[in-house]
Amino acid sequence: MAKTFSLNKLIIHVFILGFGLVMLYPVIWMVSSSLKPEYLIFSQPGLWPSEITFDNYINGWNIVRNMTFGTFFKNSFIIAIIAVLGNLLTCSMAAYAFARLKFPLKKTLFALMLVTIMLPSHVTLVPQYAIFHNLGWIDTFLPLTVPKLLATDAFFIFLMVQFFRGIPKDLDESATIDGCGPIRIYYKIILPLASPALLTTAIFTFIWTWDDFFSQLLYLNTVSNFTVPLGLRLFLDSQGTSAWGGLLAMSVLSLLPIMILFFFFQRQIVEGIATTGVKG
């Protein structure tokens, strides 16, 4: 019986390992190809390069005249960090109001907020662009950052509401007896206890903002304002020769922030998602 169980466990692990290698194969091939001379990328599709060079990283980093790829990394970090801070502050405040406070039309407003999660982004695309155009915000970071300061990500509000509801309300009542108001309860009690949900919000906001291509393509026009996804697009030329070596090299570098976040905070991500479904 024990041998059968061990054999089944071994088969499951082998299957998971094989499936994981299949999923990682494109990334491994990208890293390998970024170290090949450009003429060998497609003529030698194997994973192990017969000739290793770092020219792709050097040439890719200096793709734009008088500008390096570091400018695109800087722009992406600025937008992502502002988005993270905005979502942490405003979404947690909105979630605290829905989870702990009493005010008129609370359930109706919460339901409307949930409806916006199911609303396709393409529906609001044209009105949003018209508003930002009239404000003179096109080709700036404002359309990509200001909405994050207004609690527009309903998914994260819902995620935090579920977590806040799992925190015992006795803590609020004890703090109220001690003379704390709603604001002090929010930042003295709720926020310290909600660190898993806050960390999950921060990580996912960073990843989604970092990987966002469509919104940045829509609002950013000047090359000096481009982010990493738009910078990678510069390597592709529909009418000429694309710089595949530089594209693969900079794609590898663009994955590093996401990989670092995942390897250092994977346990917190799983914990944050799991605990948001617990209700008190």
Side-chain angles (χ1 to χ4, degrees):
M1 190 72 179
K3 291 183 178 180
T4 303
F5 177 76
S6 300
L7 180 61
N8 292 336
K9 194 173 181 179
L10 177 63
I11 293 174
I12 293 174
H13 280 79
V14 170
F15 174 78
I16 293 175
L17 179 61
F19 186 76
L21 290 176
V22 171
M23 297 295 292
L24 288 175
Y25 178 83
V27 178
I28 299 173
W29 180 87
M30 180 177 66
V31 175
S32 173
S33 299
S34 69
L35 297 173
K36 297 178 183 178
E38 193 157 344
Y39 67 91
L40 290 179
I41 292 177
F42 296 108
S43 61
Q44 188 187 83
L47 293 180
W48 189 257
S50 60
E51 182 180 348
I52 296 179
T53 179
F54 292 95
D55 290 342
N56 293 329
Y57 288 88
I58 297 173
N59 297 331
W61 189 261
N62 300 291
I63 179 177
V64 182
R65 183 181 301 177
N66 300 325
M67 187 186 306
T68 66
F69 211 85
T71 301
F72 306 145
F73 274 96
K74 181 190 69 174
N75 295 337
S76 286
F77 273 115
I78 290 174
I79 294 173
I81 291 173
I82 294 176
V84 168
L85 295 177
N87 271 351
L88 287 178
L89 177 63
T90 59
C91 290
S92 63
M93 292 174 64
Y96 173 70
F98 282 125
R100 308 301 253 202
L101 303 182
K102 295 180 180 180
F103 54 90
L105 301 177
K106 174 181 174 180
K107 293 184 178 180
T108 302
L109 293 175
F110 184 72
L112 291 175
M113 185 272 296
L114 292 179
V115 169
T116 62
I117 299 178
M118 298 175 280
L119 189 67
S121 59
H122 303 84
V123 175
T124 60
L125 182 63
V126 175
Q128 283 182 346
Y129 187 88
I131 293 173
F132 295 143
H133 178 74
N134 292 331
L135 291 173
W137 289 3
I138 302 301
D139 201 22
T140 68
F141 296 162
L142 295 177
L144 304 171
T145 56
V146 171
K148 304 298 182 181
L149 304 175
L150 302 174
T152 56
D153 285 332
F155 171 79
F156 294 118
I157 298 176
F158 176 72
L159 183 146
M160 292 188 193
V161 166
Q162 295 299 98
F163 192 93
F164 291 170
R165 286 175 176 172
I167 299 176
K169 291 188 177 181
D170 295 342
L171 298 175
D172 298 28
E173 296 173 358
S174 299
T176 301
I177 294 174
D178 291 337
C180 292
I183 297 178
R184 290 192 65 185
I185 294 174
Y186 162 73
Y187 73 84
K188 286 286 189 179
I189 297 177
I190 300 298
L191 289 186
L193 294 175
S195 56
L198 295 175
L199 185 58
T200 302
T201 298
I203 293 173
F204 277 102
T205 299
F206 183 88
I207 293 175
W208 292 349
T209 305
W210 184 270
D211 292 339
D212 184 20
F213 174 78
F214 182 74
S215 297
Q216 297 166 6
L217 177 65
L218 185 65
Y219 294 118
L220 301 178
N221 302 323
T222 305
V223 176
S224 60
N225 290 333
F226 278 8
T227 56
V228 169
L230 299 184
L232 294 175
R233 180 172 170 265
L234 297 177
F235 291 99
L236 301 177
D237 186 359
S238 59
Q239 299 179 349
T241 303
S242 299
W244 293 106
L247 173 62
L248 294 173
M250 293 303 101
S251 296
V252 172
L253 294 183
S254 69
L255 287 177
L256 290 180
I258 306 300
M259 295 177 66
I260 292 172
L261 278 178
F262 176 77
F263 282 117
F264 278 93
F265 298 106
Q266 55 180 319
R267 183 178 62 84
Q268 288 83 351
I269 293 175
V270 175
E271 179 184 354
I273 295 176
T275 53
T276 50
V278 179
K279 296 182 180 180

